[in-house]
Amino acid sequence: MTRMGIAAEAPGETRVAATPTTTVKLIALGYDVIVEAGAGVASSFPDAAYRDAGARIVSRAEAWAADVVLKVNPPTPDEVALLADGATIIALLSPALRPDVRESLQTRGITALALDAVPRISRAQSMDVLSSMANISGYRAVVEAAHEFGRFFTGQVTAAGKVPPATVLVAGAGVAGLAAIGAASSLGAIVRATDPRPEVADQVRSIGGEYLPVVVDEVMDSRDGYAKATSEAYDRAAAALYSAQAREVDVVITTALIPGRAAPRLLTAADVASMKPGSVIIDMAAAQGGNVEGSVDGQRVVTDNGVVILGYSDLASRLPAQASQLYGTNLVNLVKLLTPQKDGRLTLDFDDIVQRSITVVRDGESMWPPPPVQVSAAPTQTTPDAAPPAPAPKRTLSPAGRTGLVALGIAALFAVSAVAPAPLPQHLTVLVLSVIVGFYVIGKVHHALHTPLMSVTNAISGIIVVGAMLQVTIPDPPVQILAAVAVLLASVNIFGGFAVTRRMLAMFSKGDR
């Protein structure tokens, strides 16, 4: 049976690669799970909880000597030395930014899988650790900002006066940005957001934010699900937008990151200097150089004009239990993919784009970088040659043809009236008048007052009502009874249609909720 070791993280990291809940699922896949003593203590998961889940608590050396080692952060050189020959390690390896880690793993037949290299395709969403951690980080960024801001996020009207709501700008509407927008909006703040990708505008609005577009002649197209470097024209327009917003907003949360590259600079020192005293900036990209000039990775900085800049890079770790559970669940989903037979044997299939993308080192041989994956969320641009043919124009009658058709109808009506015996001419006249009057009385009511379906049915019912009302006056009891029944039933249909429409419209009225 393959041994799977859960390693403890270095001091300062509160997350753990597997929780007692996910340990049960790993054991169900056929693995002998061993946990380093104290690995889950910082996440509030004691060793006893892992024992109850079926795992064994072992020493550090034994956990690292397992066939498969699960970890959160990249291993240090000392930890790599603890790995057994031919072992497999699964962790956040940052292969594009940490070539030193990648090179240290190219030894002794080791296989290294990077959870932060999962491609952003629909099939791999359940394994996307970056999205899970970004979601937590975005939420926690708002909590940290609210704490530092020291004032209400929501507006208040009290006997002591009116308190305006805080204004929050979120730069970047990826997973972390959307989580921050939702959290800040739920706290009552006025939230604004900007992003190079126009397709996120509807997502921003749907969770209570206002999308601020950067107007340029280019369209951002992210074909692998991650942000791309923008053009100089976009950077100039965005810089003007950020400068204007910095003077107005109370809180700025920046989330802009480009995989494999230093974080783009969004706010300059001049922008920070223009902000109001007491304003707060959360730079979520501080670990990769920072989006804000003056931010320091892992530190709280207060500028000369009283602006607080937080460069915390451990936002997800500040919610350790939740972060560990989500991380562990993503890892379980990946291990399921790598263990198709559920027999406790880890196998790699390079025909699977997910498995190929996450493989950094295989049996000591570097496999980085992987082939690109095209997963654009932007609409496909069609070329003029591929444009669908224009629909054929509808054939309509000419004015002369319509006039001739009306004249033919009048002639037919007069011919029937002159030849047909009574009371057929009278009935035909009633039918024609009913159709005309019913159509103009009911059918011409604007659809804003009732649904299109009700418009048609009410028009038909209107024809019946008008015709039946004309028949009620005929001195024939059976005809009068049938006409009265027709008026009643058609009236019920008309008034019922308007009643249903009223209820449907009320569903979209905030005042009636």
Side-chain angles (χ1 to χ4, degrees):
M1 181 180 293
T2 303
R3 289 183 306 160
M4 179 172 284
I6 311 302
E9 301 299 320
E13 176 58 72
T14 59
R15 293 172 294 177
V16 64
T19 68
T21 301
T22 61
T23 296
V24 173
K25 298 178 180 178
L26 293 173
I27 293 173
L29 292 174
Y31 292 96
D32 175 20
V33 179
I34 55 178
V35 181
E36 181 179 342
V41 171
S43 299
S44 300
F45 300 124
D47 292 345
Y50 288 100
R51 289 193 187 96
D52 294 340
R56 293 185 293 116
I57 305 300
V58 298
S59 65
R60 174 178 175 80
E62 189 174 352
W64 277 94
D67 304 304
V68 180
V69 176
L70 307 184
K71 200 175 182 297
V72 177
N73 293 319
T76 64
D78 292 339
E79 291 172 336
V80 173
L82 294 175
L83 289 169
D85 294 347
T88 298
I89 183 170
I90 307 176
L92 298 172
L93 300 178
S94 301
L97 297 175
R98 297 288 303 274
D100 56 323
V101 174
R102 193 172 71 238
E103 293 171 1
S104 68
L105 292 168
Q106 297 175 31
T107 178
R108 297 183 287 118
I110 292 174
T111 296
L113 307 180
L115 278 169
D116 44 349
V118 172
R120 286 191 166 169
I121 59 177
S122 299
R123 187 168 61 86
Q125 286 182 351
S126 63
M127 314 166 205
D128 191 353
V129 171
L130 288 183
S131 293
S132 297
M133 297 301 102
N135 183 33
I136 295 176
S137 297
Y139 171 83
R140 183 68 190 198
V142 174
V143 174
E144 296 290 343
H147 173 71
E148 289 287 350
F149 187 53
R151 283 168 274 174
F152 287 132
F153 258 41
T154 185
Q156 294 279 342
V157 179
T158 69
K162 182 179 179 181
V163 180
T167 304
V168 179
L169 173 66
V170 179
V175 177
L178 291 174
I181 294 167
S185 178
S186 66
L187 289 176
I190 297 173
V191 185
R192 304 167 183 171
T194 183
D195 192 281
R197 298 161 296 178
E199 63 264 24
V200 305
D202 290 338
Q203 300 176 35
V204 171
R205 298 188 188 101
S206 68
I207 54 178
E210 176 191 359
Y211 180 71
L212 303 178
V214 177
V215 181
V216 289
D217 294 333
E218 66 178 79
V219 177
M220 179 67 178
D221 185 6
S222 177
R223 294 192 176 275
D224 62 355
Y226 295 92
K228 291 288 186 295
T230 51
S231 67
E232 293 183 3
Y234 181 92
D235 292 341
R236 287 194 297 269
L241 174 66
Y242 289 128
S243 297
Q245 290 297 314
R247 293 189 291 269
E248 300 179 14
V249 301
D250 302 303
V251 176
V252 178
I253 300 175
T254 64
T255 70
L257 282 174
I258 301 172
R261 299 183 59 176
R265 185 56 50 86
L266 304 182
L267 292 181
T268 64
D271 295 333
V272 176
S274 69
M275 296 182 70
K276 295 173 287 188
S279 299
V280 181
I281 300 174
I282 310 291
D283 188 352
M284 297 181 63
Q288 290 181 222
N291 297 140
V292 181
E293 187 174 355
S295 67
V296 180
D297 182 21
Q299 296 187 23
R300 177 183 184 270
V301 177
V302 182
T303 64
D304 294 338
N305 62 320
V307 177
V308 178
I309 305 176
L310 301 182
Y312 300 154
S313 55
D314 62 344
L315 292 171
S317 298
R318 294 177 181 234
L319 294 171
Q322 188 71 68
S324 298
Q325 183 60 45
L326 293 181
Y327 184 95
T329 300
N330 292 142
L331 210 157
V332 166
N333 292 329
L334 175 61
V335 174
K336 285 181 179 178
L337 178 66
L338 301 176
T339 318
Q341 303 301 323
K342 297 183 180 181
D343 55 357
R345 294 186 179 182
L346 207 69
T347 58
L348 279 175
D349 179 10
F350 272 15
D351 291 334
D352 182 354
I353 188 62
V354 176
Q355 299 183 46
R356 175 62 187 91
S357 297
I358 66 172
T359 304
V360 178
V361 178
R362 184 181 188 182
D363 298 331
E365 180 184 356
S366 176
M367 305 300 295
W368 190 263
V373 181
Q374 302 293 326
V375 291
S376 176
T380 303
Q381 301 294 327
T382 57
T383 60
D385 294 339
K394 295 182 179 180
R395 299 179 62 184
T396 57
L397 287 175
S398 63
R402 287 195 295 270
T403 303
L405 188 60
V406 171
L408 181 61
I410 294 174
L413 179 62
F414 275 107
V416 172
S417 300
V419 177
L424 183 58
Q426 293 89 336
H427 291 319
L428 185 59
T429 302
V430 169
L431 174 63
V432 173
L433 291 177
S434 299
V435 170
I436 296 174
V437 174
F439 177 77
Y440 280 99
V441 170
I442 302 296
K444 288 297 184 179
V445 176
H446 196 276
H447 286 171
L449 301 180
H450 50 56
T451 65
L453 177 60
M454 293 302 171
S455 174
V456 176
T457 57
N458 285 353
I460 297 173
S461 299
I463 295 172
I464 297 173
V465 167
V466 174
M469 290 176 65
L470 293 175
Q471 295 298 312
V472 168
T473 59
I474 294 179
D476 188 348
V479 174
Q480 291 176 341
I481 293 173
L482 291 175
V485 172
V487 171
L488 175 63
L489 295 179
S491 299
V492 169
N493 189 40
I494 292 174
F495 288 108
F498 279 104
V500 170
T501 300
R502 180 181 178 82
R503 294 192 64 180
M504 293 176 64
L505 294 175
M507 295 171 61
F508 301 95
S509 176
K510 292 184 178 180
D512 294 339
R513 288 182 180 178

